[in-house]
Amino acid sequence: MKILIAYFTMGGRTKKTAEAIASALATHEVSYFPVEITGKFIEKIKLLDKFENKDFSAIETELNILDAASYDLIIFGMPTYGNFPPKAFDEILARMGNLSGKKAIVFNTARFTGGKALEYMKIKVEEAGAEVINQRKFRKILWIGTKNAIKFGKQINEK
Ligand SMILES: Cc1cc2nc3c(=O)[nH]c(=O)nc-3n(C[C@H](O)[C@H](O)[C@H](O)COP(=O)(O)O)c2cc1C
């Protein structure tokens, strides 16, 4: 299967989780669509603020070439911001267009909650036409490990 992992990360936890899942997808061809907010704290906050106000000009080039057509399975990985995924999630999904006939998996990372955000992701991905075949919340208050993500990746790999 051709798998696309679309993720957003500001602190690295979602990226780490996405890469741990991918490490277990040994029999599949995996590509990434990463949206990473990097740099100094103040720069990160400024860019996050832009994104949350639906200004995606900083990643317009990447979004323009985003093409989900050739993938069988799309995995969406997002952090949790106030019980929702970041606005970049909605933008990535909108840019993918109609996902009819595709399979999808949603996961999120969170410190305290996350369930509501994951449900939101599932509903939106289904509205785009994909069949959500699995979902997982990775919730850790402090250090997020890779054990559960690798286990989740193995489950996906064997299916
Ligand atoms: C602005 C902001 C809002 C957040 N809101 C929540 C929240 O509502 N619930 C929660 O459990 N964690 C919340 N968190 C924690 C992040 O979801 C969590 O640390 C996530 O794993 C970060 O992923 P990242 O390191 O890939 O950016 C929030 C973090 C930030 C920066």
Side-chain angles (χ1 to χ4, degrees):
M1 269 205 302
K2 280 189 78 178
I3 303 176
L4 177 65
I5 305 183
Y7 69 84
F8 177 98
T9 196
M10 188 165 80
R13 287 161 54 103
T14 311
K15 179 180 183 173
K16 182 178 178 179
T17 305
E19 288 178 346
I21 292 170
S23 74
L25 300 174
T27 55
H28 303 282
E29 192 186 321
V30 179
S31 305
Y32 293 102
F33 182 78
V35 177
E36 293 183 50
I37 296 192
T38 55
K40 290 188 182 136
F41 181 74
I42 190 72
E43 289 164 358
K44 282 182 166 186
I45 296 296
K46 277 185 185 164
L47 188 54
L48 178 65
D49 191 56
K50 278 190 178 176
F51 284 175
E52 290 303 289
N53 286 296
K54 300 184 184 175
D55 173 359
F56 297 102
S57 50
I59 54 165
E60 192 54 41
T61 311
E62 290 85 347
L63 286 168
N64 264 335
I65 53 171
L66 171 60
D67 186 6
S70 64
Y71 297 95
D72 311 295
L73 171 68
I74 303 164
I75 302 178
F76 296 88
M78 295 286 142
T80 306
Y81 291 165
N83 276 327
F84 283 93
K87 292 281 188 297
F89 165 73
D90 303 271
E91 189 65 18
I92 290 168
L93 197 56
R95 297 296 183 107
M96 283 182 178
N98 192 322
L99 296 180
S100 298
K102 309 267 180 219
K103 295 197 184 312
I105 290 172
V106 293
F107 78 87
N108 72 346
T109 64
R111 289 193 190 272
F112 313 104
T113 53
K116 206 178 143 200
L118 192 61
E119 201 50 35
Y120 175 88
M121 289 171 68
K122 179 175 183 262
I123 289 167
K124 290 293 172 189
V125 171
E126 282 174 349
E127 279 175 10
E131 180 197 355
V132 176
I133 57 166
N134 212 336
Q135 63 191 81
R136 189 61 52 93
K137 183 175 74 184
F138 297 96
R139 188 177 60 83
K140 276 278 186 282
I141 295 176
L142 296 174
W143 189 77
I144 202 156
T146 53
K147 208 175 104 189
N148 290 336
I150 292 170
K151 211 165 134 189
F152 186 54
K154 280 183 182 159
Q155 278 176 26
I156 300 167
N157 194 55
E158 284 154 19
K159 254 198 167 177

